[in-house]
């Protein structure tokens, strides 16, 4: 019941903010100048009155994330966006909640909540939040701001959520962002970031705008390859997934990112699960032989690939 009480207190703080804002406006003072007053808890005094800020809401989001309640974490984000938007429309942007503006950390925390939760829903929700964030960031960019601009952590967290959903089998055949569809979304998202300086697409909303500052890193590629590996578990013919995984490793090298043993192991895992028979196992072994420092996991992965080839 602790979080319920915390949420009650947040609502109380919001009510106090509205009351103070109305009192300040009725006195004819600039709504941006709040008088110093007691907050009523331990006799403390705060120079900004009862005006909530992102730190208050981020604390709630993190609390919900800690207990695996991603839906409630996202609901807090929705609440922030609604309060901030309404304040912008009030008195030339001087409403009671003009400081309740979600920042990059806010979005990252909500995305992380979905990624940690996993399951069939997390990839789709993360992708939806990503697209929503980029619309906000583009509007900010037009105003010369970067307050909510997504960063590589944002990007990698969306990929991680898609990788989790790629581990879920689509049992009923309905259109969902799970299994191979989730892995494909991860690949498309990585493609969009790589090409954001080249051409507009559904993720970057325009050439040289919004996402061109993000540089994919080793985590970006490894997470996308992991999505393909997860999807390959439930794919009757995953050779194309293995080809995609190996192509991603090639693209890493072209961008100056050296694949780690984890990268190699993940690609070999996709080949082993690809249902491509002996040829797929041989391809996995060829990758093993090309490694500078194969690990015991590397050898075991290829051994399993040959064992699966017989089945």
């Amino acid at each position: 019941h602790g979080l319920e009480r915390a949420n009650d207190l947040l609502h109380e703080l919001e009510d106090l903010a509205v009351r103070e804002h109305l009192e300040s406006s009725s006195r004819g003072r600039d709504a941006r100048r709040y008088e110093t007053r007691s907050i009523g808890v331990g006799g403390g005094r705060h120079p900004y009155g009862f005006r909530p800020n992102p730190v208050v809401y981020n604390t709630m989001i993190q609390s919900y994330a800690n207990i695996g309640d991603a839906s409630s974490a996202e609901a807090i984000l929705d609440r922030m966006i609604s309060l901030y938007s309404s304040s912008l429309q009030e008195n030339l942007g001087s409403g009671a909640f003009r400081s309740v503006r979600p920042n990059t950390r806010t979005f990252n925390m909500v995305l992380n909540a979905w990624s940690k939760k996993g399951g069939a829903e997390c990839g789709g929700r993360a992708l939806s939040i990503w697209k929503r964030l980029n619309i906000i960031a583009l509007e900010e960019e037009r105003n010369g701001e970067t307050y909510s601009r997504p960063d590589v952590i944002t990007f990698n967290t969306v990929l991680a959520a898609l990788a989790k959903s790629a581990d879920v089998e689509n049992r009923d055949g309905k259109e969902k962002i799970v299994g191979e569809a989730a892995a494909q979304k991860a690949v498309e998202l990585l493609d969009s970031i790589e090409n954001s300086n080249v051409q507009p697409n559904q993720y970057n909303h325009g050439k040289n705008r919004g996402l061109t500052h993000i540089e994919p890193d080793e985590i970006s590629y490894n997470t996308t390859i992991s999505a393909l590996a997860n999807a390959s578990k439930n794919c009757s013919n995953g050779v194309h997934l293995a080809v995609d995984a190996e192509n991603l490793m090639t693209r890493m090298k072209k961008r100056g990112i050296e694949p780690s043993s984890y990268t190699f192991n993940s690609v070999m895992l996709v080949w082993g699960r690809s249902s491509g028979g002996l040829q797929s196992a041989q391809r996995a072994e060829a990758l093993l032989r090309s490694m500078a420092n194969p690990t015991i996991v590397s050898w075991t992965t290829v051994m399993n690939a040959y064992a699966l080839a017989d089945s």
Side-chain angles (χ1 to χ4, degrees):
H1 299 293
L3 265 176
E4 290 182 12
R5 182 56 184 155
N7 207 24
D8 289 341
L9 290 172
L10 178 58
H11 280 294
E12 184 177 348
L13 178 60
E14 290 171 347
D15 290 341
L16 289 169
V18 171
R19 187 187 311 166
E20 181 169 292
H21 176 67
L22 292 175
E23 290 175 359
S24 177
S25 299
S26 67
R27 291 191 297 267
R29 297 180 179 177
D30 185 349
R32 299 184 188 280
R33 296 175 57 194
Y34 281 75
E35 66 178 24
T36 302
R37 62 189 302 172
S38 170
I39 63 173
V41 180
R45 301 179 71 81
H46 195 291
Y48 300 107
F50 296 105
R51 189 194 308 171
N53 59 42
V55 175
V56 175
Y57 293 87
N58 287 352
T59 300
M60 288 295 299
I61 289 171
Q62 186 60 57
S63 298
Y64 281 120
N66 289 341
I67 64 170
D69 190 350
S71 296
S72 293
E74 186 175 350
I76 295 292
L77 170 63
D78 292 339
R79 191 155 136 198
M80 291 179 72
I81 293 173
S82 177
L83 290 171
Y84 177 66
S85 297
S86 64
S87 285
L88 289 183
Q89 299 169 16
E90 181 183 345
N91 295 332
L92 300 176
S94 62
F97 300 101
R98 62 185 180 276
S99 296
V100 182
R101 184 180 185 182
N103 53 30
T104 305
R105 177 173 170 76
T106 310
F107 282 94
N108 287 354
M109 292 168 71
V110 176
L111 287 167
N112 190 53
W114 278 113
S115 177
K116 279 187 172 182
K117 182 177 181 179
E121 190 180 9
C122 73
R125 291 308 315 147
L127 200 57
S128 176
I129 294 168
W130 167 263
K131 292 179 180 179
R132 187 178 184 185
L133 170 57
N134 279 287
I135 292 173
I136 293 172
L138 281 168
E139 183 61 33
E140 288 182 354
E141 187 178 277
R142 295 187 188 100
N143 297 325
E145 300 174 324
T146 58
Y147 194 77
S148 303
R149 189 168 71 164
D151 55 22
V152 71
I153 296 174
T154 319
F155 175 57
N156 288 342
T157 308
V158 177
L159 292 175
L162 288 168
K164 291 283 187 69
S165 287
D167 202 26
V168 178
E169 184 178 3
N170 190 350
R171 296 182 180 275
D172 56 19
K174 294 181 180 179
E175 187 174 345
K176 300 175 182 176
I177 304 180
V178 296
E180 189 176 343
Q184 189 57 45
K185 290 291 185 183
V187 173
E188 289 175 0
L189 184 55
L190 181 56
D191 288 344
S192 76
I193 295 297
E194 286 184 333
N195 297 323
S196 60
N197 283 308
V198 180
Q199 58 187 359
N201 55 67
Q202 62 174 317
Y203 298 105
N204 68 16
H205 299 280
K207 183 178 179 180
N208 290 323
R209 288 168 27 179
L211 305 177
T212 57
H213 63 283
I214 297 178
E215 283 289 334
D217 58 13
E218 182 182 345
I219 295 174
S220 309
Y221 288 95
N222 285 346
T223 305
T224 306
I225 292 170
S226 292
L228 293 167
N230 289 342
S232 66
K233 290 195 300 185
N234 301 309
C235 186
S236 58
N237 184 2
V239 173
H240 63 290
L241 298 178
V243 171
D244 287 346
E246 193 164 339
N247 284 340
L248 286 174
M249 188 163 65
T250 301
R251 282 156 55 177
M252 285 179 71
K253 295 176 182 177
K254 288 182 178 179
R255 294 183 75 92
I257 304 172
E258 192 62 32
S260 63
S261 60
Y262 180 88
T263 312
F264 274 93
N265 294 346
S266 298
V267 175
M268 292 187 296
L269 180 61
V270 188
W271 276 114
R273 292 173 172 175
S274 68
S275 302
L278 188 60
Q279 286 185 328
S280 288
Q282 290 171 337
R283 184 59 203 150
E285 183 180 356
L287 289 171
L288 173 68
R289 302 295 180 186
S290 71
M291 293 178 67
N293 297 295
T295 65
I296 190 65
V297 175
S298 310
W299 287 92
T300 305
T301 301
V302 176
M303 291 165 64
N304 285 335
Y306 275 107
L308 289 171
D310 286 339
S311 62

